[in-house]
Amino acid sequence: MSAAATGAPALDAARRLVVKIGSALLVGPDGLRGDWLRGLCDDVAEWRARGVDVVLVSSGSIALGRRVLGLPPGALPLEQAQAAAAVGQIRLARAYEEALAPHGVTTAQVLLTLEDSADRRRYLNSRATMQTLLGLGVVPIVNENDTVATDEIRFGDNDRLAAQIAVTCGADQLLLLSDVDGLYTANPKTDPTARHLPVIAAITPEIEAMGGDPVSGLSKGGMKTKLMAARTAVAGGCAMAIAEGSVMRPLSAVAQGARTSWFLPETDPQQARKRWIAAMKPRGTLTIDAGAVTALANGKSLLPAGVTDVAGEFGRGEPVAITGPAGETLGCGLSRYTAAEARRIKGQRSTSIEAILGYPGRAALIHRDDMAL
């Protein structure tokens, strides 16, 4: 039975798609696989032409850099891995830029570490940057910042990084292109009775027990890391697929029914984010006027002009309660300003923020995507 027949998503129906590319697909024995990369980018351009936001999470910088530097195969000391990443990253970014430019697609390089998602301020900055890039039609090329990352601040593999990026930018689908075509009940290379699982509705202990080890000398992630990524993605409302990606047009192949394992989301990305915000304990309170109450009910963001009072002490990105003119609780949201800043700009037009604070700020005090009413 095909994945489509069992209720799996259709890749060509994605609204915002994150694609993770493994090192073994991108870098071969002779270096960068240029023909394969161009085929992938042909697909990316096709999806973009349909109006789909696309983010690429790409491995390969260390694999490319070590060839240039003549470093030996196998595990590298941290300083050599960082040097290889520094050399390889510029080549990787250039390769994507050159492959997408003929399609009129602009690319951007985004380098992240684990701290960028663990620290709330940096997480919000990363989210805002990604949303802005996608809003401008750019395809971000994301990689772990191996040049500066140490073991203590690493994701450790791009499967989990891709899942975090998918949740951060509100993607509805995540595709892990790998050297395997999905999840099996056992290792199909050693067990002839292993069955392929086209759709996984829930990640149970039995499913987790099916995880294996990496089979490629270039990649860090195995099925265990993919299952960890799936857990993150589906909890954030994002469907995730694992597919064998070595074909020349891998996105087209998946859309046309290539063997794939889909992990079904628990909800949609926006609902998952709002549930997460609603569960937070507020650090302060914003009281708003009747006009702002109406604006929020119509799906608008909360602007400083609609705020009449600020209570409590909170930092940027921290949760605050939203109350109406009579003190009624309306919901909770993540503030884009500190309590001190919010007090200075409350009741003011957004165009006055820079004059009041002395630096440019964001127009909304709480963006609608960061609000649970």
Side-chain angles (χ1 to χ4, degrees):
M1 182 180 294
S2 69
T6 54
L11 192 71
D12 50 8
R15 297 185 301 276
R16 179 165 289 177
L17 173 66
V18 175
V19 182
K20 180 262 179 177
I21 298 100
S23 293
L25 297 175
L26 192 63
V27 183
D30 299 322
L32 184 73
R33 297 179 62 208
D35 289 344
W36 181 88
L37 178 60
R38 286 186 287 273
L40 169 70
C41 289
D42 288 345
D43 274 345
V44 171
E46 181 178 327
W47 260 249
R48 280 291 305 123
R50 297 174 187 165
V52 180
D53 294 333
V54 181
V55 179
L56 301 179
V57 178
S58 180
S59 304
S61 62
I62 293 178
L64 285 173
R66 75 191 303 159
R67 289 182 57 84
V68 176
L69 297 175
L71 298 175
L76 294 174
L78 176 61
E79 62 275 11
Q80 288 189 1
Q82 291 175 328
V87 171
Q89 191 59 241
I90 192 170
R91 287 163 170 77
L92 187 66
R94 185 189 304 124
Y96 277 107
E97 181 182 33
E98 291 176 348
L100 284 167
H103 300 283
V105 176
T106 302
T107 57
Q109 184 183 53
V110 180
L111 300 177
L112 299 172
T113 68
L114 183 61
E115 286 183 338
D116 294 316
S117 63
D119 179 85
R120 184 178 298 279
R121 180 182 294 269
R122 290 164 69 171
Y123 167 81
L124 289 173
N125 284 336
S126 299
R127 176 179 169 84
T129 299
M130 293 290 290
Q131 297 286 15
T132 301
L133 288 171
L134 292 171
L136 293 171
V138 174
V139 173
I141 312 298
V142 183
N143 198 358
E144 183 152 26
N145 195 350
D146 292 302
T147 302
V148 300
T150 62
D151 287 341
E152 290 75 18
I153 60 172
R154 287 180 56 81
F155 282 92
D157 65 87
N158 274 351
D159 293 327
R160 286 182 290 175
L161 173 60
Q164 184 62 54
I165 290 297
V167 173
T168 297
C169 69
D172 57 317
Q173 292 190 27
L174 165 62
L175 173 62
L176 303 185
L177 292 178
S178 183
D179 48 10
V180 294
D181 60 4
L183 179 66
Y184 287 77
T185 55
N187 187 342
K189 295 180 180 294
T190 59
D191 187 345
T193 67
R195 291 184 297 106
H196 179 266
L197 302 178
V199 175
I200 297 91
I203 303 175
T204 63
E206 290 76 17
I207 293 294
E208 289 183 327
M210 297 174 188
D213 296 319
V215 296
S216 167
L218 289 173
S219 61
K220 299 191 188 86
M223 192 56 67
K224 288 182 181 179
T225 66
K226 290 174 175 55
L227 291 175
M228 293 172 68
R231 185 174 289 282
T232 297
V234 300
C238 179
M240 192 193 92
I242 302 171
E244 203 283 324
S246 64
V247 297
M248 293 303 293
R249 297 285 298 267
L251 303 192
S252 295
V254 171
Q256 293 165 11
R259 175 171 281 194
T260 308
S261 288
W262 280 98
F263 295 79
L264 303 185
E266 299 171 4
T267 182
D268 67 68
Q270 194 64 18
Q271 288 179 337
R273 179 167 176 77
K274 290 185 179 294
R275 278 209 314 248
W276 171 65
I277 293 171
M280 292 180 169
K281 182 179 180 180
R283 302 292 298 271
T285 301
L286 301 179
T287 302
I288 63 176
D289 60 26
V293 172
T294 300
L296 298 193
N298 290 328
K300 304 296 185 181
S301 299
L302 176 59
L303 303 181
V307 177
T308 59
D309 190 45
V310 178
E313 296 299 328
F314 50 87
R316 179 171 172 254
E318 292 189 329
V320 293
I322 305 170
T323 61
E328 69 276 23
T329 299
L330 301 175
C332 183
L334 303 182
S335 176
R336 293 192 162 192
Y337 291 92
T338 66
E341 292 169 332
R343 290 189 179 95
R344 294 177 65 188
I345 63 176
K346 69 180 176 66
Q348 304 295 321
R349 293 183 177 275
S350 298
T351 53
S352 302
I353 291 175
E354 183 173 1
I356 295 170
L357 298 180
Y359 47 85
R362 292 181 169 86
L365 209 159
I366 301 178
H367 192 274
R368 62 185 180 184
D369 290 343
D370 296 331
M371 194 183 306
L373 300 177

